[in-house]
């Protein structure tokens, strides 16, 4: 049994907490308000009001918040200092590779792993959430039994920061494919084919993709973007910022991304 501290028991984190409990781990999850503590307890975990108390005595501290800024606030020097030597910090939040690298540089004595995810709550419940993991081989091996409570496949893609790089690249391509489908729908409509009929047909043709299947299930590109645009757009903003810092261009990808994520 592993002692797991969990920060961010929301839309994605909540089902993760539930699966960790079901898998036999000793789970403490952050709940700053009485309402959130009740929600955590309903998942079977012990609700704790303070970040330091979550970090203290945890073998693995998992962070599943929304933005890089929130990760930095959660992983403050004081919180990290409360972790036991040899413990592991796992960051599921998608963000810049430099964020986790900076945290690791200021956290001697603990291992830091970035493990952004691909999938949704239904994948967590089915233990089929994809994890792109970056970090030292031995640390990844130690936390794999914990992450396997909800993750499969768990893809160790390189050193710390590599998981973020893969996830950001994946979501950039995802946004570009949405843009291509939007343009394809416009072409189809100009040829007299309704969007829903075109999308359904494409899923059976050589032009199909996982993205096409998702959008066809939503009924339209606009409906899909309305549901997911905030999450994809956040990641694309990070990619653009990193590319600018490197003096790189997204090239053809950038030509279609805006069409993809704008409703």
């Amino acid at each position: 049994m592993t002692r797991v501290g969990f920060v961010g028991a929301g839309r994605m984190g909540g089902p993760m907490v539930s699966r960790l409990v079901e898998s036999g781990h000793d789970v403490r999850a952050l709940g700053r308000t009485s309402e959130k503590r009740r929600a955590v307890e309903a998942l079977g975990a012990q609700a704790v009001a303070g970040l330091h108390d979550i970090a203290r005595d945890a073998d693995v501290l998992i962070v599943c918040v929304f933005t890089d800024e929130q990760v930095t606030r959660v992983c403050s020097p004081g919180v990290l200092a409360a972790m036991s030597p040899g413990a592991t910090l796992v960051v599921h939040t998608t963000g810049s590779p430099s964020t986790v690298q900076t945290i690791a540089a200021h956290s001697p004595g603990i291992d830091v792993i970035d493990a952004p995810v691909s999938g949704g709550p239904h994948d967590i419940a089915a233990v089929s959430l994809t994890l792109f993991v970056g970090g030292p081989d031995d640390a990844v091996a130690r936390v794999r039994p914990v992450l396997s409570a909800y993750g499969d496949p768990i893809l160790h893609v390189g050193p710390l920061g590599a998981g973020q790089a893969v996830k950001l690249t994946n979501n950039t391509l995802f946004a570009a494919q949405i843009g291509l489908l939007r343009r394809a729908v416009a072409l189809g409509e100009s040829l007299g084919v309704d969007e829903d009929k075109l999308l359904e047909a494409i899923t059976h043709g050589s032009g199909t993709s996982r993205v096409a299947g998702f959008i066809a299930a939503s009924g339209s590109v606009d409906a899909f973007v309305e549901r997911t645009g905030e999450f994809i757009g956040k990641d694309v903003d990070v990619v653009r910022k990193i590319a600018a810092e490197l003096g790189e261009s997204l090239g053809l990808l950038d030509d279609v991304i805006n069409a993809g994520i704008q409703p």
Side-chain angles (χ1 to χ4, degrees):
M1 179 177 64
T2 302
R3 297 170 299 181
V4 180
F6 201 100
V7 181
R11 174 179 172 271
M12 294 289 286
M16 290 178 180
V17 169
S18 181
R19 283 294 309 140
L20 287 165
V21 171
E22 290 170 8
S23 298
H25 300 294
D26 178 11
V27 185
R28 293 183 175 188
L30 183 67
R32 293 188 186 276
T33 67
S34 57
E35 180 181 1
K36 291 182 178 179
R37 286 193 288 275
R38 286 194 296 270
V40 165
E41 290 167 353
L43 297 171
Q46 179 182 349
V48 179
L51 275 170
H52 291 75
D53 294 327
I54 287 287
R56 191 175 295 114
D57 297 328
D59 300 311
V60 180
L61 176 62
I62 299 176
V63 177
C64 187
V65 292
F66 188 59
T67 66
D68 254 356
E69 291 76 15
Q70 290 172 330
V71 170
T72 300
R73 288 199 298 270
V74 167
C75 300
S76 67
V79 171
L80 296 174
M83 295 180 67
S84 301
T88 305
L89 171 68
V90 177
V91 178
H92 282 321
T93 305
T94 301
S96 171
S98 65
T99 298
V100 288
Q101 291 164 348
T102 299
I103 290 170
H106 293 88
S107 308
I110 67 171
D111 287 308
V112 180
I113 289 173
D114 58 313
V117 306
S118 181
H122 60 289
D123 297 302
I124 297 169
V127 195
S128 60
L129 188 71
T130 298
L131 273 63
F132 304 122
V133 181
D137 292 349
D138 56 345
V140 173
R142 283 199 308 274
V143 300
R144 190 177 286 272
V146 174
L147 300 180
S148 66
Y150 46 81
D152 185 18
I154 300 170
L155 305 172
H156 187 191
V157 296
L160 183 64
Q164 299 290 8
V166 169
K167 175 62 186 297
L168 291 169
T169 302
N170 176 80
N171 275 20
T172 302
L173 183 59
F174 187 15
Q177 289 183 17
I178 296 170
L180 289 173
L181 280 165
R182 191 186 293 280
R183 298 288 175 83
V185 164
L187 173 63
E189 288 179 337
S190 71
L191 296 172
V193 182
D194 291 340
E195 179 177 9
D196 60 336
K197 296 292 193 298
L198 178 67
L199 290 171
E200 171 60 23
I202 285 175
T203 64
H204 298 281
S206 59
T208 193
S209 64
R210 290 187 70 184
V211 180
F214 296 154
I215 291 177
S218 296
S220 72
V221 175
D222 283 347
F224 184 76
V225 171
E226 183 178 355
R227 182 162 56 86
T228 63
E230 180 184 8
F231 299 95
I232 300 169
K234 172 183 72 75
D235 296 349
V236 168
D237 287 344
V238 174
V239 169
R240 284 178 167 150
K241 179 180 178 182
I242 293 172
E245 291 171 350
L246 295 173
E248 298 288 342
S249 169
L250 297 181
L252 292 174
L253 288 171
D254 213 21
D255 292 341
V256 290
I257 284 173
N258 280 335
I261 62 179
Q262 297 297 325

